[in-house]
Amino acid sequence: MGKLTTHVLDTMNGCPAAGMLIGLYRVQDGQPVLVRQAVLNHDGRTDGPLLDDTTFATGRYRLVFEVAAYFRGRGVELPEPPFLEAVPIDFGLANPLQHYHVPLLTSPWAYSTYRGS
């Protein structure tokens, strides 16, 4: 059955982004509705899928990664306002039988994502 996972790598320090807060939103009628929040574990992942076979639904979603708070927590001095405060990634889940994986590679100044496996 379908599921949604994520993984965040801190490219500034070359490690998983342990402790980063993320939020998953379902976008309904153009408005984000919070589905759940999670703090990433030691491997930069959630302890289980963000959505699994019991909660997976097709539609539009947004993952918000709290990048500035994470780097401040690691002692990085950021300007005010920081270049990246939070990184939102909007995406669609179209097939309830597939595994969707949304990885993020980030530093305080850049990020990259793709559909992973």
Side-chain angles (χ1 to χ4, degrees):
M1 298 301 294
K3 67 179 176 177
L4 172 65
T5 57
T6 191
H7 184 204
V8 182
L9 296 175
D10 170 347
T11 58
M12 178 182 182
N13 295 295
C15 63
M20 182 182 287
L21 176 66
I22 64 168
L24 173 65
Y25 298 81
R26 183 173 171 109
V27 180
Q28 299 174 344
D29 300 321
Q31 298 300 314
V33 176
L34 183 65
V35 174
R36 67 177 288 199
Q37 288 186 313
V39 175
L40 301 180
N41 64 23
H42 70 282
D43 196 31
R45 301 173 187 269
T46 55
D47 288 330
L50 291 167
L51 298 174
D52 61 22
D53 59 343
T54 63
T55 56
F56 189 99
T58 60
R60 306 279 327 147
Y61 288 85
R62 175 176 298 151
L63 268 170
V64 178
F65 301 87
E66 299 297 333
V67 172
Y70 164 79
F71 283 106
R72 282 188 189 110
R74 289 193 52 103
V76 177
E77 288 190 41
L78 300 176
E80 192 55 48
F83 183 67
L84 295 175
E85 182 74 44
V87 172
I89 299 175
D90 291 356
F91 57 96
L93 303 179
N95 187 331
L97 301 177
Q98 290 187 350
H99 174 191
Y100 290 82
H101 184 66
V102 181
L104 182 74
L105 307 174
T106 192
S107 78
W109 307 279
Y111 67 91
S112 176
T113 190
Y114 55 93
R115 181 175 174 188
S117 58

